[in-house]
Amino acid sequence: MTNMDIVYDKTHFRHDPKWSGRLGPAEGGGLLLCVACVIEMLESDEIASVRKSFVLSGISGLLKCSPGALRELLQWDHVVSLRFTASLLGMLQTVEDPATLEKVYQVLVQLLLELQSEQSFHFVLDEIHKQLRDQLSVKSFLPTFNFLGSLVGAVPNVVHSLVTQFVPLLEHLSSALLYPDEGLKASVLHVWLKLFRAAGGLAQSLPVAIRDRVCILLLQTFASASSPQLINNCVGLLWLLVQLEEAVSVLMNSPGNQIMCNENQNIPINNSQILSQNQEQQSLDHCPLPLILKKLLLSGDETLQVTSAKCIAAILVHSPSQYSAPFIKADVPEFLFDRLASSSSEVLLWSVYSCLMLLTEDPLFFSQCHSVYGIESLVRSLKEALRQTNLDVPKQGLLLLTEVLERQPPSVRLFPSGPGFVAVSEAVVAGVSSSCLLVATQAANAASALFRLNHQSRPVQYRELQGLVEAITNRFSEVPLPSPAHPRSSGSLMRSDPSSQASRSGGFLLQALVCFHAACRLAEECASEPVLKENTFTAPSNHSHAQDSLESLCQCLLRCCDSVWIHTVIRMCKCAPNPQILQFFYSILSSQFTLLPSLMPIFAKKLASSGFYRMALEHKGLLCAGNRNPNLNASCCGFLQKLSMCLVSQSDPASGAYEHDAEEVETLLLYNLPSLCCRLSDWPCLLGEAPGLQLCDYKGPRATQYCLVIMLHLALQQGDRLLPDQTVFSSVVRLLHTVQEQGSCTLPHSVLRSALYLLAVTQDKSTSLSGASLKYISKALSSCQSFSSLYIHHPALLHFICRYTELAERCGPLVLELWLTKQAQDTDAELTMAGKQDKGEERESCAEERQEQEPNTEIMELLTVLEKYPAVILTFLDMVCTREASLAERALEVLEVFLRGQRDFEADLCTNLRTALLQVLQRLSAENMGHGLGQGHTAQVNSLPLVLKLLCVMQASDPPSSSSYSKMDGVHFKLLYHVSNIAGRLKPTNTESLLRALSYLYCCLSLSPAHCTDRAVSMLLSNSGLVDQLQTVLSSSSSSAAPSLSPSAGPPSALLCCSHLLVSSLITLQHVHSTQVHKSISWSLDTAVQRLLVQKRNTDNLLLVSYLRFLQALLDVDLASTVLCVSTGPGLVGPRPLGVEDGALYPLGSRGAQFLSTALSGLLLQKHELLLRASVNCLSSLLGFLQRKSPATAKYVVCQPWSRFLLHCLLNSGENCLLHPAILRLITLVRCYTYIQNSHHSNQLMQHNSTAVLWEPDLLQVMEAVERRGVKELSQEAAQALRLLLTQVHLSTRQQPPTDEHKQRVRSVMDSLGPQPPAESCSPSLPSNILYPSPEAQDEGFNVSTKSISNIRGSRLRETERTPLFWWRLSLNPPCGNHILRRVLHPLAVIRPRRASRCDRGAGGVEQREPHVNEQPPPPCCCHLRIRWGKLAVPSPSSES
């Protein structure tokens, strides 16, 4: 034969050719094979092993490359086929070469697969069974077992035959495990491993005895196994067995003694070996398997460790409660935790996590402190797992952590110290931040368990808790919400496909809400325990860190809830409300009211104003009707109750009934909210029902109606209209009607208060109440003992009460009083918050600043009510007259603002108000006849000053017309009469009332038309009491002006100013009307001049202005008036006998004229706005008086060098000062008198020319300043003064401009000024408000407010005075009467001393002494004069010389 043929040459020739054939490729060159030769060679002992191996290799190759060829040869005779198979089986017992044996295994398996014959399979199994049965020892059966294992693995059909037809063979296989050879055992276990792996469902058909025997022998084999192959096969078979519940039961319930007994029954083996193995397991009570698996965990092979953990898990899956205890008692959990700490394998970590998770179901796991032992390893492994790519591992680990945290007994702490808690917090935060939503969801679940009080370390790690909350919140905001384009029904999000993105998102959102709720609950628990709240065990260095405190955690919860959770949950539930999510959401909101009570008022208002009342009630009606979702209903009720109670606590009722109201509201909500599960659209029907008699006040349909009213009130108060206004209005009226129809007029106090608020706020969009409805409302209000307890500070309540006469008569005064009281409380609270609690001058200054501001919103509401319902004015007037001082003053303030703001008064309103004031004055005069006016009884309120002040305000705010003031008839004259009588009877010490009375008299004289003042002057001058009162004031002023007395010894400056102005008006008007004087007033001229000259530094500027006005009036009448008896002294007129000039100027005298001129010059140099104007006016009157009485003295005063120096200083004080109206008029005045003097003494013109105002350079300086600024930039008053100056220059014949250029410049400026107004053309007088700055004056640098006295006019001159001198003097003396700026709302007051600003000084200007005090300018009338004295030093007379 050839080298490649498989034939036996010695015997081949004897064989039938049918057993031979050339097998192989069809192209030829195939292998010659003789089956008979092969059988003879395999059975012959003479054939070398090498050749047999060659034959087997050839057959194996043939079977691989030519499938079916050998089967065709063997099909001729089945006996030959069986003999061929038997020959191969025989070689398993005879061949020792491992390589040859391996080829035998291979050829046998290939042959059987080639034949695919049941007979062949059965033949093989029968042969193996015979061999095992006939042999006493199985030592030589190792190759057979190896082949059987290969056969079972390669031919699955063999398994069925073995299980069903060859059970005895299986028994021999199980008994073979008793043989001590580990190789043999490994081979047998390999067969069983293949058998169970290939059997699948057939394993259940295996006889129970054999299966149990295999389990027991496996445990015995496993316990003594040492070779890796045996251990691996044991582990593999064990893994398959533990998946069968019956096998697990046998494995876990087979004690060691049973194993020994079974061993003894089957085969005699070495008893000493069994005893040693038994001693190793003597610590186990029942089962050796936990110890075996624990040993595997200790091995260094990671695969064995993984399989061990899987086996433990597979065992526990069948019955954790039954099988956990042996493993726990064997300390398997500790070894599992150790594997977590030492491995990073994903498979091992996952297996151990799964195993430990099952072990945690047994309480014994925690009672033996395995959780405490392993928590650190678990956290460390979690951090490692979160870095890996397989996200199932950290998910499983977080699930284990959750189970440990949830099942850990509260008595045993997992984290006694801070570092442990910090570590687990970091791991959970990392899990929450994972990109996988499933991992993040499980981490949120773990965080929920971690937010338990028993898991908090000491001290509590509030910083870490805050980090957890923020991590959950950040992840919560990043999760994509379900698309609103496909809204689902309620709860469908949780029922969708678990693998879908929407399901994962919904699962995380729900779990995040659960976690956040757990954090809120933990914060509440910590707040209830003082030790945890204060965190007593915190290190001293950490006490200063505000972030590691309970308060910081609560603030974090509120901040996250406000910024993220509310917004996200609302969006998520907008289309498909989910009961579970909403349940936790409302619980979270409820928790906020407990955590930070100080911030809850703001939070509650924000919630209510954002529509949370509506949202919660709609969710209750949608999801909780019909007793559905009771947990959500309870959560909604808790939230609504806390929100409502927080809003009720802010209502601040006027009376002390708050505690009762709060308790009442809380009870109503507690018992009625759970049953209120209807939609908002059903509320009107509920409110309109008339239930029967209620046995309980806080339960039943009626109580439900009360609950509705309260919530409508609280929601509407924050802008959330649950129902339309018309519906609310009619429903509340109907409720009051049904309550009273049942015979009960008394509603719960809080309900009546809410009903009143709802009626007031919704009235504008509803129809007016009928008489019957008003009756119900009035009756309901009457049932309340104190209306103040029903009061709510809201403008709508004012309008509602004042709108209906019946309600206004009953409740109007009290409502207005409560409104004013609340306003005062708010003002005081603002001052307290701003820290304005200073006394003295600063407090008064703050009060004045408040008065100078625009009226606040609450006063504006009252003004709206006054305009809409004029009858309320009388109510305010009654409050002014009868209420306590503080309330009366506030009512007066409202009336003041109202009267000043009116332009078109209704005739009836003014008449009624004046008539009412007249009646009040008559009553006050009668009541105080025997008690002293202005003092009042002990129990009465002194309302006289307020009434007089109101009269002044009304007089100033309602300018009289000729018809209303004709002949001073009617109420006007009667008011004047009563006020003058009251002023005459007041005690001098009652300065407040006296000031107001004199102010009113001065107002009447100032505001009355000229033809209507004769009766008024006559009446006033005939009132001896009034004259005596004025005499007292002026006399006390004169005495206080003495050098030995302090100025504070005299009357208040305001009263003295007002007296000066009133007397000056009386002097002027008496002179005009030639009124009879019954009693004169004594007055010291030298004292007045001394004050202006020497004591002006210690005198208020406004008082100086009044002195100047007083002197101006006297000078206009040549110091001779029957009203005033003027006295003088030697300091003014010199010693007697008087000289010619002193006699002509008596009682002023020549020295007095010089002193007065000097004083006026000094006042001019102060450049104070009011003093500047008043001084120019007084100087004009002084020059007029001197011109009439002593022209020489007038010439001296005008032409003396001091006058030139004065003008030089003023003209060089800057452009603002140069173009001031008063300065321009002063220049005009000096030029006028210079012109008059030169006209009378033309021959002395050149002599005095140096002291006159020449064209160069002074007039040129004025022209240049005008040209630089521009005529259009000048105020109206300055433009008028400039026109008069240029007109005077133009009319002058001796001081014409020297050049044509100057003439052209004058003409150009006059053209720019425009044509002279008609009044100026016929009477070139200056405007009447020379004492007061125009609005532009403030822009020109003068330190005077525009609210100063304006339009105070001087004496009206006699019609006969037409001389040129008087023509110019007229321009500087305003006519009689003081026209008042109606925009001025504030009383005259002198503010605290400070430096006054100067006019701008130009080059060459002289710096002058500044005034000692700077005062606020006076108001429109002196009826509001007030003064506050500063601590001023009184200089000696010589200091002002």
Side-chain angles (χ1 to χ4, degrees):
M1 71 175 183
T2 63
N3 292 334
M4 298 299 297
D5 295 337
I6 306 177
V7 293
Y8 189 28
D9 296 335
K10 291 182 179 182
T11 59
H12 179 64
F13 63 92
R14 299 196 301 257
H15 299 154
D16 192 333
K18 68 179 181 181
W19 300 112
S20 302
R22 188 165 293 277
L23 307 179
E27 299 82 23
L31 178 69
L32 177 63
L33 172 66
C34 177
V35 174
C37 292
V38 170
I39 294 174
E40 289 183 356
M41 284 190 293
L42 294 178
E43 292 178 350
S44 173
D45 295 334
E46 297 177 358
I47 303 300
S49 176
V50 175
R51 188 169 185 180
K52 291 181 179 179
S53 176
F54 171 78
V55 171
L56 291 173
S57 299
I59 295 174
S60 177
L62 181 64
L63 291 173
K64 289 181 180 178
C65 65
S66 300
L70 184 61
R71 183 173 65 248
E72 293 178 357
L73 291 176
L74 294 176
Q75 67 182 0
W76 296 105
D77 191 349
H78 180 65
V79 175
V80 174
S81 175
L82 294 178
R83 184 176 176 182
F84 184 39
T85 305
S87 298
L88 292 173
L89 287 174
M91 291 184 69
L92 295 176
Q93 300 294 324
T94 59
V95 176
E96 296 180 357
D97 180 42
T100 305
L101 282 174
E102 186 66 28
K103 292 180 180 179
V104 174
Y105 303 153
Q106 185 176 2
V107 170
L108 264 175
V109 173
Q110 288 177 333
L111 178 63
L112 292 175
L113 289 175
E114 178 81 8
L115 296 177
Q116 289 292 327
S117 171
E118 288 290 333
Q119 293 180 356
S120 300
F121 292 146
H122 287 185
F123 174 76
V124 170
L125 295 177
D126 283 338
E127 288 298 317
I128 294 175
H129 179 232
K130 290 178 183 179
Q131 294 176 8
L132 290 174
R133 183 184 58 191
D134 296 340
Q135 296 293 332
L136 295 178
S137 174
V138 295
K139 181 179 180 181
S140 61
F141 278 84
L142 176 61
T144 304
F145 291 148
N146 290 336
F147 159 70
L148 186 58
S150 300
L151 178 63
V152 172
V155 185
N157 293 334
V158 175
V159 177
H160 182 267
S161 299
L162 278 172
V163 173
T164 57
Q165 301 177 21
F166 293 90
V167 174
L169 176 59
L170 296 178
E171 292 178 352
H172 284 286
L173 282 175
S174 62
S175 299
L177 292 174
L178 296 174
Y179 194 80
D181 183 72
E182 290 194 351
L184 181 66
K185 289 181 180 180
S187 179
V188 173
L189 286 176
H190 179 69
V191 176
W192 283 109
L193 181 63
K194 295 291 184 179
L195 180 65
F196 276 98
R197 183 174 297 167
L202 292 176
Q204 302 293 334
S205 302
L206 191 68
V208 175
I210 294 179
R211 185 194 62 208
D212 293 350
R213 182 177 177 80
V214 170
C215 292
I216 295 172
L217 292 176
L218 174 64
L219 291 178
Q220 182 245 333
T221 303
F222 209 161
S224 60
S226 60
S227 65
Q229 183 181 5
L230 178 60
I231 293 174
N232 289 332
N233 289 345
C234 288
V235 170
L237 180 59
L238 180 63
W239 167 243
L240 295 176
L241 288 174
V242 295
Q243 298 179 51
L244 304 175
E245 185 175 0
E246 296 80 2
V248 170
S249 177
V250 175
L251 290 170
M252 294 301 297
N253 292 289
S254 298
N257 55 3
Q258 182 180 352
I259 296 174
M260 297 298 103
C261 179
N262 292 335
E263 293 173 2
N264 294 330
Q265 288 177 357
N266 286 274
I267 187 170
I269 60 176
N270 192 347
N271 291 334
S272 62
Q273 182 180 1
I274 298 175
L275 290 175
S276 63
Q277 294 175 356
N278 188 34
Q279 290 174 357
E280 291 179 3
Q281 302 175 6
Q282 62 184 355
S283 60
L284 296 177
D285 297 332
H286 302 287
C287 178
L289 183 58
L291 183 59
I292 293 173
L293 295 176
K294 186 173 71 171
K295 289 180 179 179
L296 292 180
L297 293 174
L298 289 173
S299 67
D301 190 341
E302 187 176 295
T303 304
L304 294 178
Q305 294 174 352
V306 171
T307 308
S308 175
K310 287 183 177 180
C311 291
I312 296 173
I315 294 171
L316 295 176
V317 164
H318 296 293
S319 179
S321 60
Q322 181 180 359
Y323 302 136
S324 296
F327 289 99
I328 296 174
K329 291 179 180 179
D331 294 332
V332 172
E334 293 184 11
F335 291 89
L336 291 172
F337 280 123
D338 291 340
R339 297 286 71 74
L340 291 179
S342 60
S343 176
S344 60
S345 170
E346 294 180 356
V347 178
L348 179 59
L349 291 178
W350 191 93
S351 302
V352 174
Y353 287 153
S354 303
C355 182
L356 286 172
M357 190 169 60
L358 292 169
L359 288 173
T360 56
E361 297 184 19
D362 194 328
L364 188 63
F365 178 87
F366 298 96
S367 63
Q368 293 193 357
C369 297
H370 291 296
S371 58
V372 177
Y373 173 84
I375 189 64
E376 184 178 352
S377 300
L378 174 58
V379 172
R380 189 181 301 114
S381 69
L382 266 178
K383 293 181 179 180
E384 180 66 28
L386 287 167
R387 300 189 189 100
Q388 299 176 357
T389 57
N390 187 357
L391 297 177
D392 288 335
V393 178
K395 177 187 173 184
Q396 194 75 0
L398 289 169
L399 181 60
L400 172 61
L401 177 62
T402 304
E403 293 295 327
V404 171
L405 293 174
E406 289 181 346
R407 298 176 184 273
Q408 179 68 23
S411 59
V412 181
R413 295 189 178 276
L414 288 175
F415 314 105
S417 61
F421 188 87
V422 172
V424 72
S425 299
E426 292 174 351
V428 174
V429 168
V432 170
S433 305
S434 173
S435 59
C436 177
L437 273 179
L438 294 178
V439 176
T441 302
Q442 191 56 55
N445 194 11
S448 302
L450 190 61
F451 283 131
R452 292 187 178 183
L453 188 60
N454 59 292
H455 293 320
Q456 306 311 308
S457 62
R458 298 295 185 274
V460 180
Q461 303 298 310
Y462 289 115
R463 189 195 305 273
E464 303 303 323
L465 295 175
Q466 184 174 341
L468 271 173
V469 171
E470 292 175 347
I472 291 287
T473 302
N474 295 335
R475 194 70 174 88
F476 185 79
S477 62
E478 297 170 358
V479 175
L481 300 179
S483 175
H486 305 284
R488 299 183 175 92
S489 60
S490 175
S492 64
L493 189 65
M494 299 297 113
R495 298 194 299 268
S496 60
D497 183 11
S499 62
S500 66
Q501 181 67 22
S503 177
R504 293 179 179 180
S505 299
F508 176 78
L509 294 174
L510 177 59
Q511 190 56 55
L513 278 170
V514 174
C515 178
F516 196 83
H517 178 247
C520 296
R521 186 175 61 247
L522 173 63
E524 291 178 343
E525 293 174 348
C526 291
S528 63
E529 295 190 17
V531 175
L532 300 182
K533 184 177 181 180
E534 299 297 331
N535 228 11
T536 310
F537 299 101
T538 305
S541 60
N542 293 334
H543 279 297
S544 59
H545 298 291
Q547 294 182 353
D548 198 11
S549 65
L550 176 60
E551 183 179 2
S552 66
L553 174 61
C554 296
Q555 290 175 354
C556 175
L557 290 171
L558 180 59
R559 182 176 61 255
C560 294
C561 180
D562 181 50
S563 60
V564 176
W565 295 88
I566 292 177
H567 174 71
T568 307
V569 172
I570 289 177
R571 286 176 52 204
M572 182 170 54
C573 296
K574 187 175 183 180
C575 298
N578 182 276
Q580 286 181 296
I581 289 178
L582 290 175
Q583 173 193 339
F584 289 104
F585 176 61
Y586 287 119
S587 298
I588 289 171
L589 294 180
S590 300
S591 301
Q592 306 307 313
F593 290 92
T594 307
L595 300 180
L596 288 174
S598 60
L599 298 179
M600 283 309 100
I602 301 174
F603 186 62
K605 288 182 178 180
K606 183 176 182 180
L607 290 176
S609 62
S610 301
F612 271 72
Y613 264 110
R614 177 182 296 275
M615 184 176 71
L617 292 169
E618 286 180 348
H619 285 154
K620 277 173 58 68
L622 177 65
L623 302 174
C624 302
N627 294 325
R628 293 179 299 149
N629 300 312
N631 293 333
L632 173 60
N633 190 16
S635 180
C636 285
C637 293
F639 165 69
L640 288 173
Q641 183 164 357
K642 288 190 176 181
L643 175 62
S644 300
M645 294 310 300
C646 185
L647 294 175
V648 168
S649 66
Q650 302 173 51
S651 58
D652 189 21
S655 65
Y658 161 70
E659 294 183 1
H660 178 267
D661 285 358
E663 182 179 354
E664 195 173 59
V665 171
E666 187 174 12
T667 303
L668 285 172
L669 296 176
L670 179 64
Y671 286 98
N672 296 280
L673 273 179
S675 61
L676 187 62
C677 295
C678 60
R679 297 180 181 271
L680 291 176
S681 57
D682 299 331
W683 282 26
C685 297
L686 288 177
L687 289 171
E689 293 178 355
L693 182 63
Q694 302 295 307
L695 299 179
C696 183
D697 293 337
Y698 51 86
K699 290 183 180 179
R702 182 67 76 189
T704 301
Q705 291 177 338
Y706 294 161
C707 185
L708 296 182
V709 171
I710 291 173
M711 284 193 291
L712 283 171
H713 163 213
L714 295 176
L716 184 57
Q717 199 170 25
Q718 304 304 324
D720 188 7
R721 281 177 159 77
L722 302 180
L723 295 175
D725 286 358
Q726 302 91 329
T727 304
V728 173
F729 191 83
S730 59
S731 299
V732 173
V733 173
R734 175 62 181 165
L735 175 64
L736 296 177
H737 174 59
T738 57
V739 169
Q740 295 182 21
E741 277 187 344
Q742 292 183 352
S744 174
C745 299
T746 304
L747 276 77
H749 192 272
S750 57
V751 178
L752 181 58
R753 190 164 178 261
S754 298
L756 179 60
Y757 175 83
L758 292 174
L759 289 173
V761 174
T762 60
Q763 64 176 331
D764 289 340
K765 298 182 181 180
S766 307
T767 58
S768 298
L769 290 171
S770 62
S773 299
L774 274 175
K775 182 179 178 181
Y776 297 139
I777 296 174
S778 180
K779 192 174 182 180
L781 294 178
S782 301
S783 64
C784 183
Q785 297 179 355
S786 173
F787 179 81
S788 60
S789 61
L790 302 177
Y791 174 76
I792 296 177
H793 195 70
H794 195 281
L797 184 61
L798 279 178
H799 290 270
F800 179 70
I801 296 297
C802 297
R803 179 177 183 178
Y804 301 102
T805 305
E806 184 176 352
L807 298 179
E809 292 176 353
R810 179 185 298 275
C811 308
L814 186 54
V815 169
L816 294 173
E817 179 179 343
L818 292 170
W819 183 276
L820 292 174
T821 303
K822 177 65 175 177
Q823 172 196 348
Q825 292 174 354
D826 293 343
T827 303
D828 293 342
E830 291 176 2
L831 289 179
T832 302
M833 293 298 294
K836 296 182 179 180
Q837 299 179 351
D838 299 337
K839 297 182 179 180
E841 295 182 355
E842 292 187 4
R843 176 173 296 181
E844 186 172 348
S845 174
C846 292
E848 292 169 2
E849 290 175 3
R850 290 197 306 273
Q851 290 179 356
E852 292 171 8
Q853 297 173 356
E854 291 296 326
N856 56 31
T857 55
E858 301 199 350
I859 291 183
M860 294 304 296
E861 276 304 331
L862 291 174
L863 297 182
T864 304
V865 172
L866 287 172
E867 292 176 358
K868 196 171 183 179
Y869 311 106
V872 180
I873 295 178
L874 298 180
T875 304
F876 274 100
L877 180 59
D878 181 68
M879 294 171 65
V880 171
C881 299
T882 60
R883 295 297 189 270
E884 62 273 10
S886 58
L887 182 60
E889 288 178 357
R890 290 193 289 273
L892 176 62
E893 180 183 357
V894 174
L895 288 176
E896 284 185 70
V897 178
F898 176 71
L899 292 173
R900 286 181 180 137
Q902 295 296 315
R903 289 297 177 264
D904 300 324
F905 281 84
E906 297 181 5
D908 294 340
L909 173 64
C910 298
T911 302
N912 294 337
L913 186 56
R914 284 194 174 89
T915 303
L917 287 171
L918 177 60
Q919 293 174 357
V920 170
L921 284 177
Q922 291 172 345
R923 179 175 56 82
L924 289 175
S925 181
E927 289 177 354
N928 293 278
M929 185 67 70
H931 300 278
L933 273 170
Q935 304 302 316
H937 300 284
T938 304
Q940 286 183 331
V941 178
N942 184 15
S943 60
L944 180 59
L946 301 180
V947 173
L948 293 173
K949 183 178 181 180
L950 180 59
L951 274 172
C952 295
V953 173
M954 186 173 181
Q955 193 74 8
S957 303
D958 183 19
S961 61
S962 299
S963 59
S964 63
Y965 270 75
S966 179
K967 302 299 181 182
M968 290 296 291
D969 286 339
V971 179
H972 299 289
F973 188 78
K974 293 179 182 179
L975 287 172
L976 183 65
Y977 172 77
H978 281 286
V979 173
S980 64
N981 285 339
I982 288 174
R985 288 158 42 197
L986 285 171
K987 292 184 178 180
T989 54
N990 190 357
T991 56
E992 183 180 9
S993 298
L994 184 59
L995 172 62
R996 305 282 170 77
L998 297 182
S999 298
Y1000 176 73
L1001 298 179
Y1002 177 66
C1003 280
C1004 290
L1005 294 181
S1006 302
L1007 296 175
S1008 300
H1011 63 279
C1012 299
T1013 55
D1014 53 347
R1015 290 185 63 196
V1017 174
S1018 178
M1019 186 266 291
L1020 294 179
L1021 291 177
S1022 64
N1023 190 333
S1024 59
L1026 175 62
V1027 174
D1028 291 339
Q1029 197 73 264
L1030 292 172
Q1031 179 66 70
T1032 302
V1033 175
L1034 296 179
S1035 299
S1036 59
S1037 172
S1038 300
S1039 62
S1040 66
S1044 60
L1045 296 176
S1046 171
S1048 60
S1053 294
L1055 180 59
L1056 188 55
C1057 288
C1058 190
S1059 300
H1060 286 163
L1061 294 175
L1062 177 58
V1063 174
S1064 62
S1065 296
L1066 289 175
I1067 292 173
T1068 303
L1069 293 174
Q1070 188 277 334
H1071 184 69
V1072 171
H1073 298 296
S1074 301
T1075 307
Q1076 182 180 359
V1077 178
H1078 300 277
K1079 191 174 184 179
S1080 299
I1081 300 173
S1082 299
W1083 186 70
S1084 176
L1085 179 61
D1086 58 340
T1087 302
V1089 175
Q1090 180 188 9
R1091 181 180 288 271
L1092 292 175
L1093 186 62
V1094 179
Q1095 294 186 342
K1096 60 177 178 290
R1097 194 175 185 83
N1098 296 331
T1099 305
D1100 295 319
N1101 286 351
L1102 293 179
L1103 185 56
L1104 292 175
V1105 170
S1106 68
Y1107 270 108
L1108 294 175
R1109 177 67 187 92
F1110 195 96
L1111 286 172
Q1112 177 187 346
L1114 277 177
L1115 292 171
D1116 286 340
V1117 297
D1118 296 339
L1119 299 177
S1121 175
T1122 55
V1123 176
L1124 205 64
C1125 180
V1126 181
S1127 62
T1128 185
L1132 299 181
V1133 298
R1136 294 180 183 274
L1138 299 177
V1140 176
E1141 290 187 0
D1142 288 337
L1145 298 176
Y1146 187 84
L1148 181 61
S1150 59
R1151 293 176 60 188
Q1154 295 175 17
F1155 291 159
L1156 183 56
S1157 174
T1158 303
L1160 293 175
S1161 299
L1163 294 174
L1164 284 171
L1165 288 176
Q1166 289 190 11
K1167 301 169 191 174
H1168 183 277
E1169 181 73 15
L1170 294 179
L1171 287 177
L1172 191 63
R1173 295 169 178 268
S1175 300
V1176 171
N1177 275 347
C1178 189
L1179 181 60
S1180 173
S1181 297
L1182 174 61
L1183 292 177
F1185 170 73
L1186 295 178
Q1187 183 64 31
R1188 292 191 298 273
K1189 297 297 184 178
S1190 177
T1193 306
K1195 172 187 174 183
Y1196 175 77
V1197 170
V1198 172
C1199 298
Q1200 62 177 331
W1202 172 254
S1203 299
R1204 178 61 188 171
F1205 177 74
L1206 171 65
L1207 286 175
H1208 178 78
C1209 292
L1210 294 175
L1211 291 173
N1212 290 276
S1213 296
E1215 185 177 297
N1216 287 337
C1217 187
L1218 178 61
L1219 297 180
H1220 191 274
I1223 303 300
L1224 294 175
R1225 286 163 187 158
L1226 178 63
I1227 297 174
T1228 306
L1229 177 65
V1230 176
R1231 289 181 57 83
C1232 172
Y1233 280 96
T1234 303
Y1235 171 76
I1236 294 173
Q1237 293 297 330
N1238 291 337
S1239 299
H1240 288 218
H1241 307 280
S1242 59
N1243 58 340
Q1244 300 178 5
L1245 176 61
M1246 298 304 297
Q1247 179 181 353
H1248 300 289
N1249 206 26
S1250 61
T1251 61
V1253 181
L1254 301 180
W1255 174 261
E1256 295 289 353
D1258 300 327
L1259 293 179
L1260 183 60
Q1261 186 178 352
V1262 173
M1263 291 297 297
E1264 290 175 351
V1266 172
E1267 291 169 352
R1268 282 195 303 270
R1269 175 173 294 192
V1271 174
K1272 293 183 179 180
E1273 299 297 327
L1274 298 177
S1275 65
Q1276 182 180 0
E1277 187 180 1
Q1280 186 179 358
L1282 179 61
R1283 182 187 296 111
L1284 291 174
L1285 174 60
L1286 297 180
T1287 303
Q1288 194 271 348
V1289 172
H1290 181 70
L1291 295 177
S1292 175
T1293 59
R1294 305 300 299 272
Q1295 295 185 12
Q1296 289 291 334
T1299 64
D1300 293 338
E1301 180 186 356
H1302 292 162
K1303 293 178 182 180
Q1304 181 61 32
R1305 291 173 67 181
V1306 171
R1307 189 178 301 109
S1308 176
V1309 172
M1310 293 187 68
D1311 292 341
S1312 300
L1313 291 171
Q1316 189 176 16
E1320 295 181 13
S1321 301
C1322 61
S1323 178
S1325 61
L1326 296 179
S1328 59
N1329 61 342
I1330 187 172
L1331 283 180
Y1332 304 94
S1334 60
E1336 295 86 347
Q1338 291 195 32
D1339 299 332
E1340 298 176 0
F1342 290 91
N1343 187 25
V1344 175
S1345 172
T1346 56
K1347 68 179 184 300
S1348 58
I1349 303 178
S1350 64
N1351 300 334
I1352 297 183
R1353 298 180 178 176
S1355 307
R1356 185 178 301 277
L1357 298 178
R1358 293 188 295 272
E1359 297 293 335
T1360 58
E1361 297 178 335
R1362 300 293 185 183
T1363 63
L1365 171 63
F1366 181 74
W1367 185 83
W1368 287 112
R1369 188 167 60 83
L1370 176 66
S1371 64
L1372 297 178
N1373 286 273
C1376 175
N1378 294 350
H1379 293 278
I1380 298 167
L1381 289 176
R1382 300 185 185 94
R1383 63 181 174 84
V1384 181
L1385 304 177
H1386 310 291
L1388 175 65
V1390 179
I1391 64 175
R1392 55 185 178 274
R1394 61 184 175 87
R1395 301 285 296 177
S1397 62
R1398 297 190 183 95
C1399 300
D1400 295 337
R1401 294 188 296 273
V1406 178
E1407 181 177 348
Q1408 300 295 328
R1409 177 186 59 82
E1410 305 234 15
H1412 183 72
V1413 292
N1414 177 30
E1415 55 275 74
Q1416 279 187 330
C1421 61
C1422 293
C1423 60
H1424 305 294
L1425 285 173
R1426 294 185 303 177
I1427 189 68
R1428 179 177 62 256
W1429 290 94
K1431 297 181 179 180
L1432 304 177
V1434 182
S1436 61
S1438 61
S1439 63
E1440 292 288 340
S1441 58

